[in-house]
Amino acid sequence: DSGVTQTPKHLITATGQRVTLRCSPRSGDLSVYWYQQSLDQGLQFLIQYYNGEERAKGNILERFSAQQFPDLHSELNLSSLELGDSALYFCASSVDPRDGGFRNTIYFGEGSWLTVV
Amino acid sequence: GNSVTQMEGPVTLSEEAFLTINCTYTATGYPSLFWYVQYPGEGLQLLLKATKADDKGSNKGFEATYRKETTSFHLEKGSVQVSDSAVYFCALSTGSQGNLIFGKGTKLSVKP
């Protein structure tokens, strides 16, 4: 158990719909990351938040957005869903990424399986 | 840009065989390097890491050495078990953000 909690574990929804994925980071971790894992694209970094503020952006579509709340939990919102958005979405967390943060271990949750039909 | 290249799978071995999964990277500066493992139906778990050149990361019988001269971080295990069957991802992290850049993953199947 990494200490990172994601809900829901599985989600099936129709094209055009909107879903929200939720993540609670490990206790004490200020940084939250979102990744998408699909068969064709592999593991893609979407976005990172640190203590409520956006820190880095990766290959995140404009239809997707995220935020980190004052209690440090994070939500990933996916809208106007397409079949190609079906994937496993991981949340991860780490301690303060500043000052050598790239040496810190990033801990992953078990992921949220999204199926768009 | 920064990238990770790892050997294509799948890799099928017999129990107690020697394992090598090759990983090379391209990065500006001096990244940290990681191996993550994903067991069937589970999330990603950190297997080992190295944060500077010549460091050796090790865990559960697996090891990998950070080779700056060859920009490599190959994963090795002397004797694999059926329970090692999983997908292995090589990754790097660089800069103040710390987000990971992953290779495509190598699926390992170990037969009894």
Side-chain angles (χ1 to χ4, degrees):
Chain A
D1 182 3
S2 68
V4 179
T5 304
Q6 291 187 245
T7 57
K9 291 195 185 313
H10 299 274
L11 189 58
I12 301 174
T13 191
T15 54
Q17 295 298 305
R18 172 190 171 93
V19 299
T20 297
L21 308 181
R22 194 177 190 280
C23 170
S24 294
R26 292 190 325 148
S27 178
D29 283 359
L30 298 177
S31 200
V32 169
Y33 309 78
W34 286 97
Y35 287 82
Q36 178 195 59
Q37 185 179 32
S38 61
L39 281 174
D40 54 346
Q41 296 291 326
L43 269 162
Q44 298 281 317
F45 168 66
L46 296 179
I47 197 163
Q48 177 198 359
Y49 279 82
Y50 170 72
N51 204 20
E53 294 188 3
E54 184 182 303
R55 176 60 64 90
K57 209 171 221 184
N59 300 322
I60 188 165
L61 300 173
E62 285 191 10
R63 300 183 284 109
F64 297 178
S65 65
Q67 54 184 331
Q68 186 179 27
F69 295 88
D71 67 352
L72 300 179
H73 92 270
S74 179
E75 293 181 355
L76 179 66
N77 300 296
L78 313 174
S79 61
S80 303
L81 285 167
E82 302 174 358
L83 296 177
D85 298 328
S86 297
L88 180 58
Y89 291 85
F90 284 112
C91 174
S93 73
S94 70
V95 296
D96 189 341
R98 296 170 298 176
D99 299 331
F102 64 97
R103 298 186 182 88
N104 292 328
T105 297
I106 296 178
Y107 294 90
F108 284 77
E110 295 192 354
S112 293
W113 279 101
L114 172 66
T115 302
V116 182
V117 297
Chain B
N2 300 326
S3 65
V4 174
T5 302
Q6 62 181 106
M7 63 188 286
E8 297 283 333
V11 174
T12 302
L13 296 174
S14 297
E15 208 165 21
E16 299 184 3
F18 184 86
L19 169 71
T20 299
I21 300 178
N22 290 335
C23 171
T24 57
Y25 67 89
T26 301
T28 53
Y30 302 97
S32 291
L33 301 172
F34 304 81
W35 278 100
Y36 279 81
V37 59
Q38 186 176 26
Y39 297 102
E42 297 186 15
L44 290 165
Q45 301 175 26
L46 177 69
L47 183 59
L48 53 84
K49 73 177 188 181
T51 59
K52 60 184 187 297
D54 300 325
D55 266 3
K56 178 185 282 189
S58 61
N59 186 25
K60 300 180 182 180
F62 292 88
E63 57 182 35
T65 301
Y66 187 165
R67 300 287 188 199
K68 179 171 173 291
E69 62 276 11
T70 55
T71 62
S72 65
F73 193 54
H74 305 320
L75 182 69
E76 296 182 335
K77 187 175 185 183
S79 176
V80 293
Q81 305 300 312
V82 172
S83 57
D84 293 326
S85 297
V87 181
Y88 292 81
F89 293 91
C90 184
L92 68 81
S93 177
T94 185
S96 62
Q97 289 86 1
N99 56 281
L100 290 163
I101 296 169
F102 285 92
K104 291 191 181 298
T106 302
K107 183 175 181 179
L108 170 66
S109 295
V110 181
K111 307 297 184 188

